[in-house]
Amino acid sequence: MADDSPLVYFVLGATGSGRRDVLADLIANGLPADAGAQVLLAAGEAASDADDRLPVIGRWSLEGERLSTPEIAGSGDLFIVSDGRGNPVDQLEALKPWMERHGFALARVVCVVNCQLAEANPALLAWYDACIHFSDVVLLANRDGVANKWLSDFQSHFRDQFMPALFEMVKQGRVKNPALVLDPQPRRLSHYFDEDEDWLIDGVGEEDDAEIEAGTEEVEVTKVEDPYFARRVGGRREKEIPAIADFLG
């Protein structure tokens, strides 16, 4: 990747979560004034009042398994807002080859949680499980009227799994420390976007390490597939998640 290539931030969340308000705050208060940030919105996302506060350069779409975007001419950080009615796993899977084609690198995946929507629809926990599996930062938004116990239980659900993502509150479309949210240090559980993804050495235990290092043991090395990308015979994913559009007005 060239030094002047933009870093990519991918913003997950359901339509209506206030992602663009949060993004406007992150860009205005988390980056230098001359940073030259650029924003791509999903083609299916309706216009928002917050768009006037964003440096939107165009729309992106998912064509089959390929992410399609307009030409990226600037060198400022690139913020891509996901299709909030679509499958986030499909979008994330297409994001990596798109970045590789353009020579870009991922800074962070940010998930904005619509707490009102999630509290009212417990089945959506599986949808947020998938999003947060890939996320470096989780922003809890739309908390008005949401029970404190639900907020505590939601965070505990991920804390009990030792999820490394940073959890922060959103208040009136703003976060306490935008620079911390945008810090490109990875905190996501998934290794899909890492340069060196996880590899599995079949049939090898810790006691065999010395022999492997000495080159005396013949082993088979295979890539470990992210569990959300694994597919059954026939093409359906092994870990299916709810269709978020079914829960949106």
Side-chain angles (χ1 to χ4, degrees):
M1 183 191 72
D3 291 340
D4 59 350
S5 294
L7 288 174
V8 174
Y9 292 84
F10 198 77
V11 184
L12 291 170
T15 295
S17 301
R19 291 172 298 165
R20 281 178 263 182
D21 287 305
V22 172
L23 185 51
D25 170 57
L26 293 175
I27 292 173
N29 298 302
L31 295 174
D34 60 351
Q38 307 173 91
V39 175
L40 284 174
L41 303 175
E45 289 283 326
S48 166
D49 292 341
D51 293 348
D52 293 337
R53 297 184 284 125
L54 291 172
V56 178
I57 62 170
R59 298 272 180 160
W60 71 269
S61 61
L62 194 61
E63 300 176 358
E65 297 179 355
R66 186 181 177 91
L67 194 150
S68 177
T69 67
E71 182 178 353
I72 311 300
S75 59
D77 291 342
L78 180 63
F79 295 82
I80 303 177
V81 180
S82 72
D83 179 353
R85 291 180 174 272
N87 187 311
V89 177
D90 292 344
Q91 297 171 58
L92 289 162
E93 189 173 29
L95 177 63
K96 182 176 180 178
W98 174 83
M99 290 193 302
E100 290 174 344
R101 291 196 301 270
H102 291 272
F104 298 160
L106 184 68
R108 277 190 160 176
V109 176
V110 178
C111 178
V112 180
V113 177
N114 185 335
C115 294
Q116 295 170 347
L117 180 69
E119 182 189 37
N121 299 280
L124 283 181
L125 182 60
W127 191 84
Y128 282 110
D129 276 338
C131 291
I132 294 171
H133 171 80
F134 293 96
S135 296
D136 302 282
V137 182
V138 180
L139 302 179
L140 302 174
N142 293 355
R143 291 179 292 115
D144 289 350
V146 174
N148 288 333
K149 184 179 186 306
W150 182 90
L151 285 168
S152 177
D153 289 346
F154 184 82
Q155 294 177 81
S156 295
H157 170 75
F158 297 100
R159 190 180 303 116
D160 292 345
Q161 300 177 61
F162 302 100
M163 196 67 66
L166 174 69
F167 281 71
E168 293 287 322
M169 300 291 181
V170 175
K171 185 175 182 180
Q172 296 180 341
R174 305 183 67 176
V175 297
K176 184 176 182 181
N177 190 341
L180 179 63
V181 172
L182 297 179
D183 182 348
Q185 179 180 357
R187 296 181 61 106
R188 51 192 172 270
L189 182 63
S190 173
H191 294 284
Y192 176 61
F193 294 101
D194 297 349
E195 289 186 9
D196 296 315
E197 297 181 49
D198 284 351
W199 293 79
L200 175 67
I201 301 177
D202 290 343
V204 177
E206 293 181 2
E207 68 277 5
D208 300 311
D209 286 348
E211 288 188 64
I212 294 170
E213 291 176 4
T216 60
E217 181 76 12
E218 184 175 341
V219 297
E220 181 179 352
V221 181
T222 57
K223 182 180 275 190
V224 177
E225 185 173 28
D226 191 285
Y228 279 99
F229 297 144
R231 293 184 182 272
R232 304 185 182 99
V233 175
R236 294 182 63 172
R237 296 195 187 275
E238 290 184 4
K239 289 178 71 73
E240 296 186 342
I241 63 174
I244 188 66
D246 293 343
F247 299 84
L248 301 174

